[in-house]
Amino acid sequence: MAKKKFTVLDLLNLELSGHDALELRCIAGQRGLPRAITIPEINRPGLALSGFYDVFESSRIQVFGRGETAFLNKLHKEKSMDSLKTFFGGQVPCCVFTYSMEPPDEFRVMAENACCPVLQTSLGSAEFTNRLTRIFSNTFAPHQTLHGVLVEVYGIGILLSGHSGVGKSETALELVQRGHRLVADDIIDVRCVNGNMLLGRGANTIISHHMEVRGLGIINISSLYGVGAIRDQKEVQLIVQLEDWNSAKAYDRLGTEQKYMEFLGVNIPLIEIPVRPGRNLPIIIEAAAMNERLKNMGYNSAKDFNQNVLKWIESSDDAQNAYNDDDSY
């Protein structure tokens, strides 16, 4: 899947709040806002400002803290800003001044001429870098679009999959009525974060908390059941594949062999649940969620059952052997 271009303007327009807010504003170089950000990393341009460009990472966002800004002001007073021509000649995506610091007027002029956006934030350098790194880890993460329903059951993110009409939405609706939460219905955007965690959310955040129920139409889960019945995103920790009952297929009855499905290089536990009249799917999925939580805590019910059976067989054999030995006298 082709990656969508992420620009400086997209960075400014991110709707973030709380501990994720970047508090950015553009103070110069507005014509360069459509510039693409291709590398999700930052650079502190201290060496470049002193004239050393041998290892200058011009494709990264340039962050100016107190030290870099003080050095800029020193260059401005000494009228030694000519070295910045090389700085702006490298297609820098944008410059960010932390602590609400102001660049020298000559720096602004050079940025305007080079169409390089100059941004400002009230955050400190370390805090801004940490927040931007978190945002980039999600924005630039590999992603894939899936068809299904993503719900949170007892804290476990469960992706309900299966062919159209098998009952995914109806099952999810019953789970919501039982106090669990809907993340997204129909189209799920899954991102691989940190190389080992899949985060799922609605591909369209405006309609992600709406659900299509055949015979009823489109319903708004948050309006019907309240904001406590929804959440924006959730880690995909279990895949439940619903399929029509096939009497010729041998379904797992013990659970000793765990199946997995791979998405974006991450293996996610998979269970197959056959659907037929009379089966209470929401209760089965609740049990699967609690069983998955036990596995995450180090307890496997199927393996424990298997070990208990083996111990019982061994004890029965020992008892039988002892009985046979008594008969020999």
PDB file of all heavy atoms in Angstrom, residues 25-31 72 76 81 84 88 97 100-120:
ATOM      1  N   ARG A  25       2.998  26.589  16.035  1.00  0.00           N
ATOM      2  CA  ARG A  25       2.445  27.665  15.213  1.00  0.00           C
ATOM      3  C   ARG A  25       3.535  28.098  14.231  1.00  0.00           C
ATOM      4  O   ARG A  25       4.733  28.037  14.544  1.00  0.00           O
ATOM      5  CB  ARG A  25       1.978  28.844  16.065  1.00  0.00           C
ATOM      6  CG  ARG A  25       3.038  29.375  17.015  1.00  0.00           C
ATOM      7  CD  ARG A  25       2.435  30.264  18.077  1.00  0.00           C
ATOM      8  NE  ARG A  25       3.418  30.630  19.088  1.00  0.00           N
ATOM      9  CZ  ARG A  25       3.716  29.868  20.135  1.00  0.00           C
ATOM     10  NH1 ARG A  25       3.114  28.705  20.297  1.00  0.00           N
ATOM     11  NH2 ARG A  25       4.623  30.268  21.018  1.00  0.00           N
ATOM     12  N   CYS A  26       3.107  28.528  13.073  1.00  0.00           N
ATOM     13  CA  CYS A  26       4.052  28.926  12.034  1.00  0.00           C
ATOM     14  C   CYS A  26       4.305  30.429  12.144  1.00  0.00           C
ATOM     15  O   CYS A  26       3.369  31.237  12.163  1.00  0.00           O
ATOM     16  CB  CYS A  26       3.492  28.573  10.659  1.00  0.00           C
ATOM     17  SG  CYS A  26       4.630  28.917   9.304  1.00  0.00           S
ATOM     18  N   ILE A  27       5.582  30.820  12.207  1.00  0.00           N
ATOM     19  CA  ILE A  27       5.931  32.231  12.355  1.00  0.00           C
ATOM     20  C   ILE A  27       6.671  32.777  11.132  1.00  0.00           C
ATOM     21  O   ILE A  27       6.927  33.975  11.056  1.00  0.00           O
ATOM     22  CB  ILE A  27       6.772  32.459  13.628  1.00  0.00           C
ATOM     23  CG1 ILE A  27       8.059  31.637  13.588  1.00  0.00           C
ATOM     24  CG2 ILE A  27       5.954  32.123  14.875  1.00  0.00           C
ATOM     25  CD1 ILE A  27       8.984  31.886  14.766  1.00  0.00           C
ATOM     26  N   ALA A  28       7.001  31.890  10.192  1.00  0.00           N
ATOM     27  CA  ALA A  28       7.676  32.338   8.966  1.00  0.00           C
ATOM     28  C   ALA A  28       7.687  31.181   7.963  1.00  0.00           C
ATOM     29  O   ALA A  28       7.541  30.019   8.335  1.00  0.00           O
ATOM     30  CB  ALA A  28       9.107  32.801   9.252  1.00  0.00           C
ATOM     31  N   GLY A  29       7.854  31.531   6.692  1.00  0.00           N
ATOM     32  CA  GLY A  29       7.984  30.507   5.653  1.00  0.00           C
ATOM     33  C   GLY A  29       6.716  29.740   5.354  1.00  0.00           C
ATOM     34  O   GLY A  29       6.772  28.550   5.048  1.00  0.00           O
ATOM     35  N   GLN A  30       5.553  30.422   5.395  1.00  0.00           N
ATOM     36  CA  GLN A  30       4.282  29.734   5.164  1.00  0.00           C
ATOM     37  C   GLN A  30       4.198  29.085   3.788  1.00  0.00           C
ATOM     38  O   GLN A  30       3.497  28.086   3.612  1.00  0.00           O
ATOM     39  CB  GLN A  30       3.114  30.712   5.335  1.00  0.00           C
ATOM     40  CG  GLN A  30       2.791  31.083   6.767  1.00  0.00           C
ATOM     41  CD  GLN A  30       3.670  32.217   7.278  1.00  0.00           C
ATOM     42  OE1 GLN A  30       4.580  32.658   6.579  1.00  0.00           O
ATOM     43  NE2 GLN A  30       3.397  32.693   8.496  1.00  0.00           N
ATOM     44  N   ARG A  31       4.905  29.620   2.824  1.00  0.00           N
ATOM     45  CA  ARG A  31       4.846  29.040   1.474  1.00  0.00           C
ATOM     46  C   ARG A  31       5.424  27.632   1.424  1.00  0.00           C
ATOM     47  O   ARG A  31       5.115  26.859   0.507  1.00  0.00           O
ATOM     48  CB  ARG A  31       5.611  29.935   0.493  1.00  0.00           C
ATOM     49  CG  ARG A  31       4.948  31.271   0.203  1.00  0.00           C
ATOM     50  CD  ARG A  31       5.790  32.074  -0.780  1.00  0.00           C
ATOM     51  NE  ARG A  31       7.124  32.346  -0.238  1.00  0.00           N
ATOM     52  CZ  ARG A  31       8.138  32.815  -0.971  1.00  0.00           C
ATOM     53  NH1 ARG A  31       7.964  33.041  -2.273  1.00  0.00           N
ATOM     54  NH2 ARG A  31       9.306  33.066  -0.409  1.00  0.00           N
ATOM     55  N   LEU A  72      22.678  31.422  17.173  1.00  0.00           N
ATOM     56  CA  LEU A  72      22.139  32.200  16.050  1.00  0.00           C
ATOM     57  C   LEU A  72      22.217  33.694  16.342  1.00  0.00           C
ATOM     58  O   LEU A  72      22.596  34.494  15.471  1.00  0.00           O
ATOM     59  CB  LEU A  72      20.691  31.798  15.769  1.00  0.00           C
ATOM     60  CG  LEU A  72      20.436  30.620  14.845  1.00  0.00           C
ATOM     61  CD1 LEU A  72      18.939  30.387  14.682  1.00  0.00           C
ATOM     62  CD2 LEU A  72      21.091  30.833  13.491  1.00  0.00           C
ATOM     63  N   HIS A  76      24.223  36.566  14.374  1.00  0.00           N
ATOM     64  CA  HIS A  76      23.521  37.755  13.886  1.00  0.00           C
ATOM     65  C   HIS A  76      24.243  39.032  14.328  1.00  0.00           C
ATOM     66  O   HIS A  76      24.406  39.973  13.524  1.00  0.00           O
ATOM     67  CB  HIS A  76      22.084  37.743  14.393  1.00  0.00           C
ATOM     68  CG  HIS A  76      21.285  38.938  13.958  1.00  0.00           C
ATOM     69  ND1 HIS A  76      20.979  39.192  12.638  1.00  0.00           N
ATOM     70  CD2 HIS A  76      20.741  39.962  14.672  1.00  0.00           C
ATOM     71  CE1 HIS A  76      20.276  40.296  12.554  1.00  0.00           C
ATOM     72  NE2 HIS A  76      20.127  40.790  13.780  1.00  0.00           N
ATOM     73  N   MET A  81      26.089  35.435   9.233  1.00  0.00           N
ATOM     74  CA  MET A  81      25.009  34.527   8.887  1.00  0.00           C
ATOM     75  C   MET A  81      25.170  33.891   7.509  1.00  0.00           C
ATOM     76  O   MET A  81      24.320  33.119   7.076  1.00  0.00           O
ATOM     77  CB  MET A  81      23.668  35.282   8.944  1.00  0.00           C
ATOM     78  CG  MET A  81      23.355  35.920  10.282  1.00  0.00           C
ATOM     79  SD  MET A  81      22.778  34.734  11.509  1.00  0.00           S
ATOM     80  CE  MET A  81      21.097  34.504  10.968  1.00  0.00           C
ATOM     81  N   LEU A  84      24.634  30.129   6.812  1.00  0.00           N
ATOM     82  CA  LEU A  84      23.298  29.533   6.790  1.00  0.00           C
ATOM     83  C   LEU A  84      22.776  29.337   5.367  1.00  0.00           C
ATOM     84  O   LEU A  84      21.744  28.699   5.186  1.00  0.00           O
ATOM     85  CB  LEU A  84      22.323  30.409   7.582  1.00  0.00           C
ATOM     86  CG  LEU A  84      22.566  30.456   9.098  1.00  0.00           C
ATOM     87  CD1 LEU A  84      21.523  31.334   9.762  1.00  0.00           C
ATOM     88  CD2 LEU A  84      22.514  29.057   9.686  1.00  0.00           C
ATOM     89  N   PHE A  88      20.059  26.326   4.444  1.00  0.00           N
ATOM     90  CA  PHE A  88      18.772  26.400   3.768  1.00  0.00           C
ATOM     91  C   PHE A  88      18.814  25.847   2.345  1.00  0.00           C
ATOM     92  O   PHE A  88      17.773  25.726   1.701  1.00  0.00           O
ATOM     93  CB  PHE A  88      18.270  27.847   3.740  1.00  0.00           C
ATOM     94  CG  PHE A  88      17.770  28.331   5.068  1.00  0.00           C
ATOM     95  CD1 PHE A  88      18.465  29.287   5.788  1.00  0.00           C
ATOM     96  CD2 PHE A  88      16.602  27.826   5.609  1.00  0.00           C
ATOM     97  CE1 PHE A  88      18.008  29.748   7.006  1.00  0.00           C
ATOM     98  CE2 PHE A  88      16.133  28.266   6.836  1.00  0.00           C
ATOM     99  CZ  PHE A  88      16.834  29.233   7.539  1.00  0.00           C
ATOM    100  N   PHE A  97      11.495  26.169  16.804  1.00  0.00           N
ATOM    101  CA  PHE A  97      12.125  26.852  17.932  1.00  0.00           C
ATOM    102  C   PHE A  97      11.315  26.547  19.193  1.00  0.00           C
ATOM    103  O   PHE A  97      10.118  26.838  19.262  1.00  0.00           O
ATOM    104  CB  PHE A  97      12.182  28.359  17.684  1.00  0.00           C
ATOM    105  CG  PHE A  97      13.249  28.757  16.701  1.00  0.00           C
ATOM    106  CD1 PHE A  97      13.029  28.643  15.333  1.00  0.00           C
ATOM    107  CD2 PHE A  97      14.476  29.236  17.137  1.00  0.00           C
ATOM    108  CE1 PHE A  97      14.008  28.997  14.420  1.00  0.00           C
ATOM    109  CE2 PHE A  97      15.468  29.589  16.230  1.00  0.00           C
ATOM    110  CZ  PHE A  97      15.237  29.476  14.866  1.00  0.00           C
ATOM    111  N   SER A 100       9.332  28.847  23.041  1.00  0.00           N
ATOM    112  CA  SER A 100       8.753  30.074  22.471  1.00  0.00           C
ATOM    113  C   SER A 100       9.824  31.099  22.109  1.00  0.00           C
ATOM    114  O   SER A 100       9.576  32.318  22.122  1.00  0.00           O
ATOM    115  CB  SER A 100       7.745  30.711  23.446  1.00  0.00           C
ATOM    116  OG  SER A 100       6.651  29.860  23.660  1.00  0.00           O
ATOM    117  N   MET A 101      11.000  30.639  21.764  1.00  0.00           N
ATOM    118  CA  MET A 101      12.097  31.551  21.420  1.00  0.00           C
ATOM    119  C   MET A 101      11.939  32.070  19.997  1.00  0.00           C
ATOM    120  O   MET A 101      11.368  31.394  19.129  1.00  0.00           O
ATOM    121  CB  MET A 101      13.451  30.847  21.582  1.00  0.00           C
ATOM    122  CG  MET A 101      13.798  30.598  23.040  1.00  0.00           C
ATOM    123  SD  MET A 101      15.418  29.839  23.260  1.00  0.00           S
ATOM    124  CE  MET A 101      15.127  28.254  22.528  1.00  0.00           C
ATOM    125  N   GLU A 102      12.432  33.277  19.781  1.00  0.00           N
ATOM    126  CA  GLU A 102      12.319  33.950  18.491  1.00  0.00           C
ATOM    127  C   GLU A 102      13.652  33.910  17.750  1.00  0.00           C
ATOM    128  O   GLU A 102      14.694  34.215  18.333  1.00  0.00           O
ATOM    129  CB  GLU A 102      11.893  35.410  18.687  1.00  0.00           C
ATOM    130  CG  GLU A 102      10.527  35.594  19.336  1.00  0.00           C
ATOM    131  CD  GLU A 102       9.396  35.360  18.354  1.00  0.00           C
ATOM    132  OE1 GLU A 102       9.674  35.310  17.133  1.00  0.00           O
ATOM    133  OE2 GLU A 102       8.242  35.216  18.802  1.00  0.00           O
ATOM    134  N   PRO A 103      13.633  33.536  16.468  1.00  0.00           N
ATOM    135  CA  PRO A 103      14.872  33.579  15.685  1.00  0.00           C
ATOM    136  C   PRO A 103      15.198  35.010  15.276  1.00  0.00           C
ATOM    137  O   PRO A 103      14.318  35.886  15.258  1.00  0.00           O
ATOM    138  CB  PRO A 103      14.528  32.720  14.463  1.00  0.00           C
ATOM    139  CG  PRO A 103      13.061  32.902  14.295  1.00  0.00           C
ATOM    140  CD  PRO A 103      12.494  33.019  15.691  1.00  0.00           C
ATOM    141  N   PRO A 104      16.430  35.302  14.941  1.00  0.00           N
ATOM    142  CA  PRO A 104      16.790  36.638  14.460  1.00  0.00           C
ATOM    143  C   PRO A 104      16.039  36.973  13.174  1.00  0.00           C
ATOM    144  O   PRO A 104      15.635  36.084  12.410  1.00  0.00           O
ATOM    145  CB  PRO A 104      18.296  36.543  14.215  1.00  0.00           C
ATOM    146  CG  PRO A 104      18.754  35.364  15.012  1.00  0.00           C
ATOM    147  CD  PRO A 104      17.606  34.415  15.047  1.00  0.00           C
ATOM    148  N   ASP A 105      15.836  38.261  12.934  1.00  0.00           N
ATOM    149  CA  ASP A 105      15.100  38.683  11.734  1.00  0.00           C
ATOM    150  C   ASP A 105      15.770  38.203  10.461  1.00  0.00           C
ATOM    151  O   ASP A 105      15.098  37.832   9.496  1.00  0.00           O
ATOM    152  CB  ASP A 105      14.986  40.215  11.721  1.00  0.00           C
ATOM    153  CG  ASP A 105      14.086  40.718  12.834  1.00  0.00           C
ATOM    154  OD1 ASP A 105      13.248  39.937  13.321  1.00  0.00           O
ATOM    155  OD2 ASP A 105      14.223  41.899  13.220  1.00  0.00           O
ATOM    156  N   GLU A 106      17.080  38.202  10.437  1.00  0.00           N
ATOM    157  CA  GLU A 106      17.788  37.753   9.232  1.00  0.00           C
ATOM    158  C   GLU A 106      17.534  36.275   8.961  1.00  0.00           C
ATOM    159  O   GLU A 106      17.443  35.850   7.811  1.00  0.00           O
ATOM    160  CB  GLU A 106      19.293  38.017   9.391  1.00  0.00           C
ATOM    161  CG  GLU A 106      20.083  37.817   8.103  1.00  0.00           C
ATOM    162  CD  GLU A 106      21.534  38.212   8.241  1.00  0.00           C
ATOM    163  OE1 GLU A 106      21.895  38.800   9.286  1.00  0.00           O
ATOM    164  OE2 GLU A 106      22.312  37.934   7.306  1.00  0.00           O
ATOM    165  N   PHE A 107      17.390  35.503  10.015  1.00  0.00           N
ATOM    166  CA  PHE A 107      17.075  34.076   9.861  1.00  0.00           C
ATOM    167  C   PHE A 107      15.686  33.910   9.245  1.00  0.00           C
ATOM    168  O   PHE A 107      15.485  33.059   8.365  1.00  0.00           O
ATOM    169  CB  PHE A 107      17.141  33.378  11.225  1.00  0.00           C
ATOM    170  CG  PHE A 107      16.926  31.890  11.172  1.00  0.00           C
ATOM    171  CD1 PHE A 107      18.003  31.033  11.034  1.00  0.00           C
ATOM    172  CD2 PHE A 107      15.654  31.346  11.273  1.00  0.00           C
ATOM    173  CE1 PHE A 107      17.813  29.655  10.986  1.00  0.00           C
ATOM    174  CE2 PHE A 107      15.454  29.978  11.230  1.00  0.00           C
ATOM    175  CZ  PHE A 107      16.539  29.127  11.094  1.00  0.00           C
ATOM    176  N   ARG A 108      14.736  34.717   9.683  1.00  0.00           N
ATOM    177  CA  ARG A 108      13.383  34.672   9.118  1.00  0.00           C
ATOM    178  C   ARG A 108      13.401  34.990   7.625  1.00  0.00           C
ATOM    179  O   ARG A 108      12.737  34.320   6.826  1.00  0.00           O
ATOM    180  CB  ARG A 108      12.465  35.663   9.829  1.00  0.00           C
ATOM    181  CG  ARG A 108      12.119  35.326  11.270  1.00  0.00           C
ATOM    182  CD  ARG A 108      11.336  36.468  11.881  1.00  0.00           C
ATOM    183  NE  ARG A 108      11.002  36.263  13.267  1.00  0.00           N
ATOM    184  CZ  ARG A 108       9.785  35.916  13.708  1.00  0.00           C
ATOM    185  NH1 ARG A 108       8.813  35.723  12.848  1.00  0.00           N
ATOM    186  NH2 ARG A 108       9.560  35.764  14.994  1.00  0.00           N
ATOM    187  N   VAL A 109      14.174  36.026   7.262  1.00  0.00           N
ATOM    188  CA  VAL A 109      14.243  36.423   5.858  1.00  0.00           C
ATOM    189  C   VAL A 109      14.823  35.302   5.003  1.00  0.00           C
ATOM    190  O   VAL A 109      14.301  34.980   3.926  1.00  0.00           O
ATOM    191  CB  VAL A 109      15.069  37.716   5.700  1.00  0.00           C
ATOM    192  CG1 VAL A 109      15.287  38.028   4.226  1.00  0.00           C
ATOM    193  CG2 VAL A 109      14.378  38.886   6.400  1.00  0.00           C
ATOM    194  N   MET A 110      15.886  34.695   5.486  1.00  0.00           N
ATOM    195  CA  MET A 110      16.499  33.606   4.742  1.00  0.00           C
ATOM    196  C   MET A 110      15.556  32.412   4.631  1.00  0.00           C
ATOM    197  O   MET A 110      15.490  31.732   3.600  1.00  0.00           O
ATOM    198  CB  MET A 110      17.811  33.185   5.413  1.00  0.00           C
ATOM    199  CG  MET A 110      18.862  34.274   5.437  1.00  0.00           C
ATOM    200  SD  MET A 110      20.388  33.792   6.287  1.00  0.00           S
ATOM    201  CE  MET A 110      21.088  32.672   5.088  1.00  0.00           C
ATOM    202  N   ALA A 111      14.777  32.150   5.675  1.00  0.00           N
ATOM    203  CA  ALA A 111      13.808  31.059   5.638  1.00  0.00           C
ATOM    204  C   ALA A 111      12.691  31.360   4.641  1.00  0.00           C
ATOM    205  O   ALA A 111      12.248  30.473   3.896  1.00  0.00           O
ATOM    206  CB  ALA A 111      13.226  30.821   7.031  1.00  0.00           C
ATOM    207  N   GLU A 112      12.234  32.617   4.598  1.00  0.00           N
ATOM    208  CA  GLU A 112      11.200  33.006   3.633  1.00  0.00           C
ATOM    209  C   GLU A 112      11.706  32.836   2.203  1.00  0.00           C
ATOM    210  O   GLU A 112      10.991  32.314   1.333  1.00  0.00           O
ATOM    211  CB  GLU A 112      10.789  34.464   3.877  1.00  0.00           C
ATOM    212  CG  GLU A 112       9.995  34.705   5.146  1.00  0.00           C
ATOM    213  CD  GLU A 112       8.547  34.263   5.031  1.00  0.00           C
ATOM    214  OE1 GLU A 112       8.150  33.799   3.937  1.00  0.00           O
ATOM    215  OE2 GLU A 112       7.820  34.375   6.037  1.00  0.00           O
ATOM    216  N   ASN A 113      12.926  33.265   1.951  1.00  0.00           N
ATOM    217  CA  ASN A 113      13.490  33.149   0.606  1.00  0.00           C
ATOM    218  C   ASN A 113      13.654  31.691   0.185  1.00  0.00           C
ATOM    219  O   ASN A 113      13.526  31.352  -0.998  1.00  0.00           O
ATOM    220  CB  ASN A 113      14.834  33.877   0.524  1.00  0.00           C
ATOM    221  CG  ASN A 113      14.697  35.376   0.702  1.00  0.00           C
ATOM    222  OD1 ASN A 113      13.634  35.947   0.418  1.00  0.00           O
ATOM    223  ND2 ASN A 113      15.752  36.032   1.162  1.00  0.00           N
ATOM    224  N   ALA A 114      13.947  30.811   1.159  1.00  0.00           N
ATOM    225  CA  ALA A 114      14.130  29.389   0.859  1.00  0.00           C
ATOM    226  C   ALA A 114      12.833  28.603   0.957  1.00  0.00           C
ATOM    227  O   ALA A 114      12.837  27.384   0.760  1.00  0.00           O
ATOM    228  CB  ALA A 114      15.168  28.796   1.808  1.00  0.00           C
ATOM    229  N   CYS A 115      11.713  29.273   1.277  1.00  0.00           N
ATOM    230  CA  CYS A 115      10.403  28.613   1.450  1.00  0.00           C
ATOM    231  C   CYS A 115      10.485  27.503   2.503  1.00  0.00           C
ATOM    232  O   CYS A 115       9.893  26.428   2.345  1.00  0.00           O
ATOM    233  CB  CYS A 115       9.889  28.049   0.142  1.00  0.00           C
ATOM    234  SG  CYS A 115       9.513  29.315  -1.093  1.00  0.00           S
ATOM    235  N   CYS A 116      11.233  27.779   3.559  1.00  0.00           N
ATOM    236  CA  CYS A 116      11.371  26.811   4.647  1.00  0.00           C
ATOM    237  C   CYS A 116      10.515  27.256   5.829  1.00  0.00           C
ATOM    238  O   CYS A 116      10.746  28.335   6.391  1.00  0.00           O
ATOM    239  CB  CYS A 116      12.837  26.700   5.077  1.00  0.00           C
ATOM    240  SG  CYS A 116      13.106  25.560   6.461  1.00  0.00           S
ATOM    241  N   PRO A 117       9.513  26.471   6.229  1.00  0.00           N
ATOM    242  CA  PRO A 117       8.659  26.875   7.349  1.00  0.00           C
ATOM    243  C   PRO A 117       9.441  26.973   8.662  1.00  0.00           C
ATOM    244  O   PRO A 117      10.286  26.125   8.956  1.00  0.00           O
ATOM    245  CB  PRO A 117       7.618  25.746   7.427  1.00  0.00           C
ATOM    246  CG  PRO A 117       7.673  25.067   6.100  1.00  0.00           C
ATOM    247  CD  PRO A 117       9.082  25.203   5.626  1.00  0.00           C
ATOM    248  N   VAL A 118       9.166  28.012   9.406  1.00  0.00           N
ATOM    249  CA  VAL A 118       9.746  28.183  10.735  1.00  0.00           C
ATOM    250  C   VAL A 118       8.608  28.084  11.741  1.00  0.00           C
ATOM    251  O   VAL A 118       7.666  28.897  11.707  1.00  0.00           O
ATOM    252  CB  VAL A 118      10.479  29.535  10.873  1.00  0.00           C
ATOM    253  CG1 VAL A 118      11.043  29.682  12.287  1.00  0.00           C
ATOM    254  CG2 VAL A 118      11.593  29.642   9.840  1.00  0.00           C
ATOM    255  N   LEU A 119       8.671  27.098  12.629  1.00  0.00           N
ATOM    256  CA  LEU A 119       7.618  26.854  13.610  1.00  0.00           C
ATOM    257  C   LEU A 119       8.122  27.202  15.002  1.00  0.00           C
ATOM    258  O   LEU A 119       9.336  27.253  15.253  1.00  0.00           O
ATOM    259  CB  LEU A 119       7.167  25.390  13.558  1.00  0.00           C
ATOM    260  CG  LEU A 119       6.851  24.807  12.181  1.00  0.00           C
ATOM    261  CD1 LEU A 119       6.406  23.355  12.316  1.00  0.00           C
ATOM    262  CD2 LEU A 119       5.793  25.640  11.467  1.00  0.00           C
ATOM    263  N   GLN A 120       7.178  27.415  15.884  1.00  0.00           N
ATOM    264  CA  GLN A 120       7.517  27.779  17.262  1.00  0.00           C
ATOM    265  C   GLN A 120       6.607  27.009  18.207  1.00  0.00           C
ATOM    266  O   GLN A 120       5.423  26.796  17.928  1.00  0.00           O
ATOM    267  CB  GLN A 120       7.335  29.283  17.452  1.00  0.00           C
ATOM    268  CG  GLN A 120       7.810  29.831  18.786  1.00  0.00           C
ATOM    269  CD  GLN A 120       7.483  31.312  18.916  1.00  0.00           C
ATOM    270  OE1 GLN A 120       6.322  31.702  18.941  1.00  0.00           O
ATOM    271  NE2 GLN A 120       8.521  32.147  18.974  1.00  0.00           N
TER     272      GLN A 120
END
